[in-house]
Amino acid sequence: VTKLHQYEYKLDVWPNGVDSFWLENQTTNVDVDEISNRILFVGRFNNNKNLISVYDSLLSLRSKGFNYNLTLVGGSADEFNLLTGDISNDLEWIQIFPKLDKEALINLYRSSLCLVVPSINETFGLVYIEALSQSCPVVYSRGQAIDGFFESDLCVVVSPLSIPDIENAIIKLSSLQHSFNCSLDQFDWDNVGLLVNSKVSSCLKKS
């Protein structure tokens, strides 16, 4: 990272685009009455997505009296049990869904307390942009995903293997109004295409 900073003046960071559905249905403010105590995870159930840290954080918070529920999207109960070692199948505070369509997912984003996906390695992560488009706060790993793209109270960076870090992020977001006013225009595929075309054309003219 230090070496990259030495050449920062030569670097451009181009984000991926997001499905136009999320931008066309963007909401900048969610009624507090619509928000539940649900913590949301959307992604593959594997070690890199770090679902185990999300689960351990919720276990710890619940043991301290916080009545959070956990909704997992993107895998199966068997995959969850394989990761966590919890084969009791009687955790009423956990919901597990396979992949959901966009209409179902948008309702989860709008009604969840926050999205928590503290991946070990994440090149970008479209789920964070999907969540923010619905004013759903996001928790992600330092130096990964969308770190550095936004200055917003709804974006909280954590150390992915620190349970206290994740716990504190969830508690912090619990007290915030769900209002996200940052522009997402840079994630519109049309704008991404224009940017890439402009940069490539500029490079060709210099060569």
Side-chain angles (χ1 to χ4, degrees):
V1 175
T2 302
K3 290 183 178 180
L4 284 177
H5 283 311
Q6 296 175 3
Y7 303 101
E8 190 171 0
Y9 69 98
K10 295 183 177 180
L11 298 175
D12 282 311
V13 178
W14 303 346
N16 283 333
V18 67
D19 191 307
S20 60
F21 171 85
W22 300 103
L23 303 181
E24 292 167 359
N25 291 281
Q26 183 176 357
T27 181
T28 57
N29 195 47
V30 178
D31 191 323
V32 67
D33 292 333
E34 297 179 10
I35 300 170
S36 67
N37 61 344
R38 176 193 301 114
I39 306 302
L40 181 63
F41 172 95
V42 180
R44 294 181 179 179
F45 290 15
N46 59 30
N47 290 324
N48 184 58
K49 293 296 183 182
N50 202 19
L51 174 55
I52 185 63
S53 288
V54 179
Y55 173 62
D56 286 346
S57 298
L58 266 293
L59 279 179
S60 176
L61 285 169
R62 288 179 63 86
S63 72
K64 297 172 184 177
F66 292 94
N67 190 31
Y68 297 126
N69 294 323
L70 179 61
T71 295
L72 311 173
V73 180
S76 67
D78 286 342
E79 290 173 306
F80 171 77
N81 290 335
L82 186 62
L83 278 175
T84 65
D86 195 319
I87 56 175
S88 61
N89 294 316
D90 63 354
L91 298 175
E92 295 181 357
W93 54 277
I94 296 180
Q95 285 184 305
I96 299 176
F97 298 100
K99 288 183 179 180
L100 296 176
D101 60 33
K102 291 175 286 191
E103 288 73 16
L105 200 51
I106 200 171
N107 290 327
L108 282 179
Y109 284 136
R110 289 179 178 176
S111 60
S112 294
L113 199 61
C114 60
L115 172 77
V116 183
V117 186
S119 301
I120 305 301
N121 295 293
E122 189 73 71
T123 53
F124 182 63
L126 292 175
V127 294
Y128 308 107
I129 306 303
E130 292 174 359
L132 289 173
S133 76
Q134 306 309 309
S135 288
C136 176
V138 295
V139 177
Y140 50 89
S141 299
R142 183 171 292 107
Q144 305 294 325
I146 58 171
D147 191 14
F149 275 95
F150 301 105
E151 291 186 11
S152 170
D153 290 339
L154 268 62
C155 301
V156 180
V157 179
V158 297
S159 175
L161 299 180
S162 170
I163 302 305
D165 238 19
I166 298 172
E167 287 183 52
N168 290 334
I170 292 171
I171 294 171
K172 175 183 177 180
L173 292 173
S174 299
S175 61
L176 294 183
Q177 171 68 32
H178 288 200
S179 180
F180 184 75
N181 297 309
C182 296
S183 173
L184 296 177
D185 289 347
Q186 63 182 317
F187 304 104
D188 184 315
W189 274 116
D190 289 339
N191 291 335
V192 172
L194 290 172
L195 174 63
V196 172
N197 184 64
S198 172
K199 295 295 183 180
V200 171
S201 296
S202 177
C203 290
L204 290 175
K205 288 178 181 178
K206 294 178 182 178
S207 62

